[in-house]
Amino acid sequence: MKCTTGRGAVLAIAMAVALTGTASCTSSESSEPSGKPTGARKTASAHLPALRSAERATERAASARVRSTTVMGTQLSIRAEGVLGWGEHLTGTATITYTGGTTAETMRDLGVTSMRARYLSDAYYAHLGDAFARKTGGKHWLKYAYKDLEALDGGGVGFADQMRNTTPDESVKLLMDSGDIREVGEETVDGQRTTHYSGTVRVEDVTDTRLKSQLQQAGVTSQTVDIWVDDRNLLVKKVEQGRMATGRLTQTAHYSDYGVKVSVDRPPAADTQDFRDLLSKENGATGDS
């Protein structure tokens, strides 16, 4: 009998985690502002010193709790929550819930509506629950080495880089490439007084070649970026919006508890299945009836 967890399903899981974007964590609750500037309009360059301070502060903090929501057209929508560290290597843990889209439908067909993820320097691990384990030899964790994902027909290209784009300093860098940075005004977000900055970034103007390539591959030509910065120059919230080949991209992330300890252990080897081995078994079963 042909197994129901074939190549497409395994890759769908990999992409679902990749698309968490800041993923690695998720849930948006605060009210949205009107978006109308409250002060005198300044040139974009006038706001760069403040944004540079935010970039440095968030980069130095090196970790935070993150909760976010991500919608990627008709392909996927998720809610996630966890902790993320962005020192020499990106590390973290997250609980990810699939809330809609074709990928979520695939996951539900496999008996998976949420998962736990662990991100290490060389790979990420996905815990998919008992229902999926029964279809994969009883092991609950799937291991995805980044180097293996990048070799999969472009399906996992730059996975580690995509995860790094979820850190708050990356949102600041992206906004700094905008030619129309605006200070919208002071707003209260998650109980904190913040300054709201907004801008539209054309992908052709993005200076980070890694990020620029990722946006181009996704079919994004421009993206609006909004960030809310507190009096310590730390991001409290960010919203990024754009349009992809599969529909509209919207990602909202809330950051808190900067400097939180991020401790990530590799799952037990006895309870871990390498997805390369799983694919080999699945492909070997495709001729069975």
Side-chain angles (χ1 to χ4, degrees):
M1 181 176 178
K2 183 177 179 180
C3 183
T4 59
T5 57
R7 178 184 178 92
V10 175
L11 292 183
I13 295 169
M15 286 306 299
V17 180
L19 296 176
T20 57
T22 171
S24 250
C25 318
T26 288
S27 164
S28 171
E29 298 170 357
S30 68
S31 60
E32 298 301 322
S34 65
K36 295 181 180 179
T38 59
R41 186 181 183 91
K42 301 179 182 179
T43 63
S45 60
H47 300 299
L48 289 178
L51 295 183
R52 290 194 184 98
S53 295
E55 177 191 7
R56 289 193 294 267
T58 52
E59 186 174 13
R60 284 195 304 266
S63 67
R65 295 191 186 280
V66 188
R67 54 188 177 88
S68 67
T69 54
T70 302
V71 178
M72 302 194 76
T74 59
Q75 186 176 8
L76 179 68
S77 61
I78 60 172
R79 185 178 67 251
E81 184 169 358
V83 295
L84 195 64
W86 51 90
E88 181 180 357
H89 301 289
L90 185 125
T91 58
T93 61
T95 299
I96 300 163
T97 302
Y98 302 92
T99 56
T102 55
T103 298
E105 293 173 3
T106 299
M107 300 294 285
R108 283 194 292 269
D109 289 342
L110 296 171
V112 179
T113 57
S114 66
M115 77 173 185
R116 287 181 285 136
R118 296 182 186 178
Y119 305 96
L120 288 95
S121 61
D122 61 335
Y124 81 90
Y125 295 79
H127 188 288
L128 299 165
D130 293 336
F132 192 80
R134 287 193 291 270
K135 300 174 182 179
T136 56
K139 296 183 179 181
H140 293 81
W141 290 93
L142 281 180
K143 174 186 177 181
Y144 297 86
Y146 301 141
K147 62 181 178 63
D148 294 332
L149 288 175
E150 292 172 1
L152 283 175
D153 302 326
V157 170
F159 181 90
D161 288 338
Q162 290 179 39
M163 291 307 304
R164 181 162 290 280
N165 289 342
T166 70
T167 64
D169 57 309
E170 291 294 325
S171 297
V172 182
K173 292 176 183 176
L174 186 59
L175 180 56
M176 288 169 66
D177 286 332
S178 170
D180 69 341
I181 304 169
R182 303 178 302 281
E183 181 179 326
V184 180
E186 291 189 356
E187 298 168 5
T188 299
V189 177
D190 295 340
Q192 299 184 61
R193 190 175 70 176
T194 68
T195 302
H196 177 186
Y197 297 94
S198 180
T200 300
V201 184
R202 297 185 305 172
V203 172
E204 62 189 67
D205 294 332
V206 173
T207 55
D208 185 322
T209 56
R210 167 180 53 83
L211 177 57
K212 183 175 183 177
S213 176
Q214 291 171 15
L215 292 171
Q216 289 174 332
Q217 288 181 27
V220 178
T221 57
S222 67
Q223 190 165 328
T224 61
V225 181
D226 289 79
I227 64 172
W228 287 258
V229 181
D230 67 13
D231 57 8
R232 298 177 300 163
N233 294 317
L234 295 172
L235 260 69
V236 175
K237 177 183 175 183
K238 72 105 176 211
V239 177
E240 295 182 15
Q241 300 181 74
R243 183 163 293 281
M244 306 172 58
T246 58
R248 189 157 188 81
L249 162 68
T250 302
Q251 186 179 82
T252 301
H254 294 249
Y255 303 95
S256 63
D257 201 7
Y258 277 93
V260 63
K261 181 179 180 181
V262 180
S263 178
V264 187
D265 296 323
R266 291 187 188 276
D271 196 26
T272 300
Q273 168 82 63
D274 192 306
F275 97 107
R276 294 175 307 171
D277 298 335
L278 180 60
L279 280 182
S280 296
K281 293 176 183 178
E282 303 287 342
N283 291 338
T286 55
D288 298 340
S289 58

